[in-house]
């Protein structure tokens, strides 16, 4: 069982930056692909960015490409999401999720085994 805890959310003005962190415990973190998803009120949960277990493969949704970078540190059991040039439409609850035994992370929420509780990101114009 893997326990995920997100942190780093908050309120910023458009154009600002935030760095989200996802800390894992209770499992072999290096065996899991990890992704960030987000969900805005009234909308479905959507894929933001994902990274493979060893960090060698990562990709990001087109809607945020060029503004968001994902990274991981398996020694510290953490995955980070650096978000720059934030826009009001980035406002959502951001979740990290872990998927066991994959070589590349999935973009489908249903493929993930474990989820964090989420962290709120609010971007004002």
């Amino acid at each position: 069982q893997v326990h995920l805890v997100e942190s780093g959310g908050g309120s910023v003005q458009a154009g600002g930056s935030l760095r989200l962190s996802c800390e894992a415990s209770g499992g072999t973190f290096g065996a899991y692909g990890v992704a960030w998803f987000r969900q805005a009120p009234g909308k479905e949960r959507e894929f933001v960015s994902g990274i493979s277990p060893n960090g060698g493969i990562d990709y990001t949704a087109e809607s945020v490409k060029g503004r968001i970078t994902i990274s991981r540190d398996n020694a510290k059991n953490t995955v980070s999401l650096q978000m720059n040039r934030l826009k009001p439409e980035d406002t959502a609850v951001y979740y990290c999720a872990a998927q066991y035994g994959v070589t590349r992370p999935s973009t489908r929420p249903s493929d993930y085994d474990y989820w964090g509780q989420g962290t709120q990101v609010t971007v004002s114009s």
Side-chain angles (χ1 to χ4, degrees):
Q1 181 105 12
V2 174
H3 183 58
L4 302 173
V5 178
E6 302 97 334
S7 62
S11 297
V12 297
Q13 291 191 326
S17 298
L18 283 174
R19 185 175 181 87
L20 306 183
S21 292
C22 174
E23 184 171 357
S25 61
T28 305
F29 185 62
Y32 289 82
V34 177
W36 287 91
F37 291 81
R38 67 185 182 185
Q39 189 165 18
K43 295 188 177 181
E44 293 189 353
R45 192 165 297 190
E46 67 170 343
F47 174 84
V48 177
S49 187
I51 191 165
S52 62
N54 65 1
I57 299 172
D58 65 86
Y59 49 90
T60 302
E62 287 296 324
S63 60
V64 298
K65 191 169 287 186
R67 300 189 294 118
I68 285 182
T69 303
I70 191 170
S71 61
R72 70 186 294 162
D73 184 342
N74 286 347
K76 296 181 178 179
N77 288 357
T78 59
V79 171
S80 298
L81 192 71
Q82 178 67 42
M83 305 191 295
N84 300 321
R85 302 192 303 281
L86 284 162
K87 304 176 181 180
E89 50 265 42
D90 294 319
T91 295
V93 178
Y94 284 70
Y95 299 90
C96 71
Q99 183 185 19
Y100 180 76
V102 296
T103 55
R104 58 187 302 126
S106 169
T107 62
R108 298 183 302 185
S110 59
D111 288 338
Y112 284 80
D113 304 303
Y114 301 102
W115 291 82
Q117 83 289 347
T119 186
Q120 176 71 47
V121 171
T122 303
V123 185
S124 58
S125 58

